[in-house]
């Protein structure tokens, strides 16, 4: 039997219910585990999709949160990579099979039997669902824990653990760099990180937003050009001009309007995960040998690479700090695209 202890968390009991305080069990660290006192946790739109069962797989009660930073307060007997007092991060993956081809290649996010997500996954130790970072502390195997560069503001680093890696990984995979014109669609938590990272990789960045209030700011974030995507004339000016597009929109939208902006052989990678399918017209792909692709977060080694890259380039998220008790209002605002650009929960408030 795995020993456990009860801690404070915030979660939801049903798709229509608000998030409320609740107690959850965490295992006492086993040999390779570290226990992390959570200082800050980012609020990802995936938390909201999951809490509201928009992807139809939520197990309740559900405690979201997978952009976790904090301090190690206890280590298991065989932990070798970390010690008590270290500042560390945990993203979307807390375990995986470690044996399949993809785990061996550092692609734990595509683990064949399935990775263990930080929340809403079967917990290998307790038989319950895993519970995420909207909580006082978390216990994680040291192999799934990340080091945080010392020069970065800790609260503003939390969103790198999901929004950072989810944009970094496809930008790397599609070899974005100098000489590339790259579109970033949807300037929310993911999109604003996509702008900063693509710019630091040396690309020419074009931001696409539906929000007039973000138009001027996108340049401050690093975009070379900004397009109001509701304006057909502005969109038409980019027809056939982009090498690569990263689409981080959380809701249904016209994907063909963006495929039309790609050059011959260009690719559009979807990271946004709307509840309903997005229709793709055959001719949007045929005319120009275009690729429509997707990408999910990133593996553990690549997440560390991304954190080190952000450390070198001084990249963090633009955040709005909230107390745990404000989470339901934050979700309402997230649904309206009204956050600049990531809510981060000060976990001392729980
Ligand atoms: P977010 O902060 O809410 O940003 C989403 C942005 O999409 C909004 O800021 C808005 O940007 C745009 N948008 C929202 N509704 C729209 C609509 N109806 N039409 C057009 N544009 C709209 O969300 P996020 O945390 O960045 O997450 C974005 C999506 O990525 C979510 O679906 C999330 O679940 C998913 N995600 C996927 C992965 C992965 O591994 N693939 C990882 C994390 C998150 P503008 O105001 O600029 O238009
Ligand atoms: Zn996320
Ligand atoms: Zn595996």
């Amino acid at each position: 039997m795995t020993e456990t202890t009860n801690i404070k968390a915030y979660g939801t009991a049903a798709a229509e219910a608000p998030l409320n305080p609740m107690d959850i069990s965490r295992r006492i660290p086993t040999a390779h585990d570290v226990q992390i006192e959570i200082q800050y946790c980012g609020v990802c739109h995936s938390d909201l999709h999951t809490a509201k069962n928009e992807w139809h797989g939520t197990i309740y009660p559900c405690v979201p949160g997978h952009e976790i930073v904090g301090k190690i307060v206890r280590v298991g007997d065989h932990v070798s990579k970390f010690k008590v007092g270290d500042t560390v991060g945990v993203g979307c993956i807390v375990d995986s099979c470690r044996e399949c081809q993809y785990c061996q290649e550092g692609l734990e996010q595509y683990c064949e039997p399935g990775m263990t997500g930080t929340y809403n996954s079967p917990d290998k130790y307790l038989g319950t669902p895993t519970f995420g970072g909207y909580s006082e502390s978390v216990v994680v195997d040291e192999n799934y824990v990340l080091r945080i560069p010392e020069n970065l503001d800790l609260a503003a680093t939390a969103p790198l653990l999901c929004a950072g890696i989810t944009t970094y990984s496809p930008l790397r995979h599609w070899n974005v760099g100098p000489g590339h014109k790259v579109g970033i669609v949807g300037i929310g938590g993911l999109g604003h990180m996509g702008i900063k990272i693509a710019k630091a990789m040396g690309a020419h960045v074009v931001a696409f937003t539906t929000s007039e209030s973000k138009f001027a700011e996108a340049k401050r974030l690093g975009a070379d050009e900004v397009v109001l995507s509701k304006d057909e004339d502005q969109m038409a000016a980019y027809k056939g001009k982009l090498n690569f597009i990263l689409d981080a929109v959380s809701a249904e939208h016209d994907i063909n309007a963006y495929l039309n902006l790609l050059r011959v052989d260009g690719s559009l990678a979807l990271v946004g995960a709307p509840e309903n399918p997005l229709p793709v017209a055959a001719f949007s792909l045929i005319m120009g040998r275009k690729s429509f692709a997707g990408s999910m977060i990133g593996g553990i080694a690549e997440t560390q690479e991304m954190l080190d890259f952000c450390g070198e380039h001084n990249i963090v998220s633009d955040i709005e700090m909230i107390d745990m008790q404000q989470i339901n209002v934050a979700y309402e605002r997230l649904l309206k695209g009204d956050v600049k650009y990531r809510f981060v929960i000060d976990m001392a408030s729980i």
Side-chain angles (χ1 to χ4, degrees):
M1 264 266 298
T2 312
E3 272 187 281
T4 63
T5 180
N6 275 359
I7 61 149
K8 286 195 270 185
Y10 247 69
T12 179
E16 301 77 26
L19 276 80
N20 277 313
M22 57 175 65
D23 279 354
I24 56 167
S25 291
R26 293 285 191 211
R27 67 180 181 273
I28 303 288
T30 63
H32 291 284
D33 287 332
V34 302
Q35 182 180 341
I36 302 161
E37 184 183 282
I38 301 175
Q39 287 167 281
Y40 302 103
C41 183
V43 179
C44 178
H45 207 113
S46 301
D47 299 353
L48 188 158
H49 288 304
T50 306
K52 296 186 183 301
N53 199 23
E54 289 173 357
W55 295 332
H56 312 288
T58 308
I59 318 157
Y60 294 97
C62 171
V63 174
H66 57 204
E67 292 182 339
I68 298 169
V69 289
K71 264 201 170 21
I72 295 189
V73 291
R74 188 169 168 180
V75 297
D77 291 343
H78 293 128
V79 167
S80 60
K81 298 180 177 166
F82 299 99
K83 59 180 189 319
V84 169
D86 285 355
T87 297
V88 293
V90 176
C92 307
I93 310 174
V94 291
D95 212 337
S96 64
C97 86
R98 308 174 194 213
E99 285 168 2
C100 74
Q101 179 194 339
Y102 302 115
C103 282
Q104 299 282 324
E105 289 176 8
L107 295 168
E108 296 90 349
Q109 73 273 35
Y110 306 123
C111 172
E112 264 173 358
M115 67 172 206
T116 305
T118 305
Y119 57 80
N120 200 48
S121 268
D123 186 316
K124 285 185 185 171
Y125 298 80
L126 303 180
T128 59
T130 51
F131 295 123
Y134 298 1
S135 57
E136 285 178 292
S137 65
V138 66
V139 177
V140 183
D141 184 294
E142 63 171 334
N143 292 305
Y144 297 82
V145 174
L146 289 312
R147 291 187 185 282
I148 305 293
E150 280 174 15
N151 57 316
L152 301 181
D153 176 78
L154 189 58
T157 299
L160 302 184
L161 275 306
C162 176
I165 184 59
T166 302
T167 49
Y168 180 91
S169 183
L171 290 168
R172 267 276 175 271
H173 182 76
W174 275 275
N175 295 314
V176 161
H180 284 99
K181 236 182 198 181
V182 171
I184 307 284
V185 186
I187 312 308
L190 266 57
H192 94 290
M193 290 311 308
I195 293 176
K196 292 184 186 205
I197 292 172
K199 187 69 192 166
M201 288 175 174
H204 181 93
V205 179
V206 186
F208 293 85
T209 182
T210 59
S211 306
E212 304 200 23
S213 72
K214 298 176 187 169
F215 195 81
E217 280 184 49
K219 286 205 170 158
R220 176 184 59 77
L221 294 169
D224 297 286
E225 300 172 56
V226 191
V227 177
L228 198 57
S229 52
K230 295 183 281 196
D231 182 329
E232 282 182 22
D233 291 340
Q234 287 190 38
M235 289 291 279
Y238 288 85
K239 191 167 186 304
K241 294 276 192 292
L242 303 175
N243 302 91
F244 179 71
I245 298 175
L246 188 67
D247 183 328
V249 175
S250 54
E252 286 75 53
H253 58 292
D254 180 11
I255 209 74
N256 302 292
Y258 292 99
L259 290 168
N260 289 338
L261 307 186
L262 289 172
R263 295 174 58 81
V264 171
D265 284 334
S267 300
L268 185 154
L270 203 59
V271 287
E275 179 176 5
N276 296 310
L278 303 170
V280 174
F283 283 95
S284 299
L285 297 172
I286 293 172
M287 304 291 283
R289 198 164 51 188
K290 295 169 185 172
S291 301
F292 181 39
S295 181
M296 190 171 81
I297 49 174
I300 297 298
E302 194 177 38
T303 304
Q304 189 63 61
E305 179 188 307
M306 174 278 307
L307 285 165
D308 296 343
F309 176 90
C310 288
E312 273 165 41
H313 294 267
N314 260 309
I315 294 174
V316 288
S317 175
D318 285 34
I319 64 165
E320 200 176 318
M321 190 94 83
I322 58 167
D323 283 346
M324 190 69 256
Q325 295 73 18
Q326 294 170 284
I327 188 68
N328 294 303
V329 177
Y331 275 15
E332 280 168 32
R333 287 186 47 200
L334 202 54
L335 274 176
K336 292 186 225 151
D338 174 26
V339 51
K340 290 190 174 131
Y341 283 84
R342 196 56 137 190
F343 291 115
V344 169
I345 307 161
D346 179 355
M347 212 44 75
S349 63
I350 196 171

